[in-house]
Amino acid sequence: MKPFAYVRATGVEEATAAFAAHPGARYLGGGTNLVDLMKLGVETPGALVDITRLPLDAVEELPDGSLRVGATVRNSDLAAHPAVRDRYPALSQAVLAGASAQLRNAATTGGNLLQRTRCPYFQDVTKPCNKREPGTGCGALEGLHRDHAVLGHSGRCVATHPSDMAVALAALDARVELHGPEGSRRIPAADFHRLPGEHPERDTEIHPGELITGVVLPAATAGLPSAYRKARDRASYAFALASFAAVLHVADGVVERAGLAFGALAHKPWRARRAEDALRGAAPTLAAFEHAVELELAAAEPLRDNAYKVPLARRLALDVLARLAPPAAD
């Protein structure tokens, strides 16, 4: 591991100032991903700005009925919080599906959003990877890509984003709070991560020096039926091969609101806008669910070894939708 400077910040402004003062700095929360990447030589920060002492560790009700989750709230506390379990069950389910209890006790809300792909070519500094070192190529394209993207990938990168939590946040219409040199702003969780395009080294839309300060769960999706499900190679402590989060509200016999997102199929949580549009105003029948899901997955472009992901994602989505709104007779 290469030497680096260390700064323990006690406030948001102090943290962003310290980041700006140290070229190549990284923010340090739980460190469950960053420290591993430093050990592998993938990340070589010039400084770590420790944000664990910042006053961002609370889950609080906002006047408009939304729920604000601080960036340093531990994943275990987030999943167990009564307001999250009762009002946003998909989020609680996604966090509990994400890792071991030990990791959830250390990992933070902000860090979960910023975790990087587990593509083996990205994690191995002896292999070509445009995400790790732009211009070197993508070893996964013709190599091992069973776990890689089937949606939104490019010739430069076929990696997937590993977060379970981010998929639920996208479906729930959450917003990510950021603070940086230019002030504070919020960005929809569904737009926070990027597709690879020509710049796979850029995982998110975060600006240089910006710090995630929290996530806001909107009042509009509070209490609506929601759920998350993932498929993986083993029963626990494994990243998704495919996952699906849904918020579905049925009123007067038709789907009034639908928020749908796939995980492990793309470089970012994939908000299923086509499927949502197809379901809105339709009766919740099995035929309607199948049509909507097929419409979304028609855009899939599987690689040599991961075509199985498309029917797997389809089955997950249909199962979740049927559980949230048992289909009426066709």
Side-chain angles (χ1 to χ4, degrees), residues 219-253:
T221 54
L224 295 183
S226 70
Y228 176 82
R229 189 180 175 197
K230 71 187 284 188
R232 45 194 165 183
D233 277 328
R234 58 180 186 271
S236 62
Y237 315 151
F239 294 101
L241 300 172
S243 66
F244 185 71
V247 181
L248 198 67
H249 178 50
V250 176
D252 299 323

Side-chain angles (χ1 to χ4, degrees), residues 18 29 31 98 105 108 115 134 176 182 198 216 229 231 234 243 265 291 300 304 311-312:
N105 285 338
T108 63
Q115 64 180 301
V176 181
E182 299 177 356
E198 297 296 307
V216 176
R229 189 180 175 197
R234 58 180 186 271
S243 66
L265 300 188
H291 171 69
R304 183 193 63 236
L312 179 60

Side-chain angles (χ1 to χ4, degrees), residues 40 62 69 76 94 133-135 141 158 172 174 179 244 286-287 309 323:
L40 293 171
L62 299 181
V69 180
S76 53
E133 190 176 350
L141 268 174
V158 294
L172 288 164
H179 183 81
F244 185 71
L286 179 58
K309 282 197 169 194
R323 291 185 186 191

Side-chain angles (χ1 to χ4, degrees), residues 264-287:
L265 300 188
H267 196 259
K268 60 178 287 184
W270 186 270
R271 185 70 185 258
R273 302 288 187 185
R274 297 183 188 87
E276 292 173 2
D277 291 343
L279 282 179
R280 203 171 294 114
T285 64
L286 179 58

Side-chain angles (χ1 to χ4, degrees), residues 186-211:
R186 288 181 178 179
I187 184 171
D191 299 328
F192 180 70
H193 297 95
R194 299 180 70 258
L195 292 177
E198 297 296 307
H199 295 283
E201 71 277 10
R202 293 170 53 197
D203 289 345
T204 72
E205 297 292 352
I206 199 167
H207 294 165
E210 280 189 322
L211 171 68

Side-chain angles (χ1 to χ4, degrees), residues 87-268:
R87 295 163 57 186
Y88 307 96
L91 178 56
S92 181
Q93 293 164 15
V95 174
L96 290 174
S100 67
Q102 294 91 333
L103 284 174
R104 292 197 300 270
N105 285 338
T108 63
T109 301
N112 190 298
L113 287 172
L114 292 175
Q115 64 180 301
R116 309 206 68 188
T117 184
R118 269 35 178 216
C119 174
Y121 296 91
F122 172 73
Q123 294 184 320
D124 186 344
V125 295
T126 69
K127 300 293 193 295
C129 174
N130 287 318
K131 176 176 286 296
R132 189 187 66 250
E133 190 176 350
T136 59
C138 175
L141 268 174
E142 299 298 331
L144 300 174
H145 55 235
R146 172 181 176 266
D147 299 342
H148 288 60
V150 296
L151 288 167
H153 52 78
S154 74
R156 294 184 180 272
C157 182
V158 294
T160 58
H161 193 269
S163 175
D164 295 282
M165 184 187 79
V167 181
L169 291 176
L172 288 164
D173 285 327
R175 299 182 75 83
V176 181
E177 290 185 337
L178 301 164
H179 183 81
E182 299 177 356
S184 299
R185 66 185 179 114
R186 288 181 178 179
I187 184 171
D191 299 328
F192 180 70
H193 297 95
R194 299 180 70 258
L195 292 177
E198 297 296 307
H199 295 283
E201 71 277 10
R202 293 170 53 197
D203 289 345
T204 72
E205 297 292 352
I206 199 167
H207 294 165
E210 280 189 322
L211 171 68
I212 296 176
T213 55
V215 171
V216 176
L217 299 165
T221 54
L224 295 183
S226 70
Y228 176 82
R229 189 180 175 197
K230 71 187 284 188
R232 45 194 165 183
D233 277 328
R234 58 180 186 271
S236 62
Y237 315 151
F239 294 101
L241 300 172
S243 66
F244 185 71
V247 181
L248 198 67
H249 178 50
V250 176
D252 299 323
V254 298
V255 176
E256 186 173 277
R257 186 185 187 106
L260 314 175
F262 287 99
L265 300 188
H267 196 259
K268 60 178 287 184

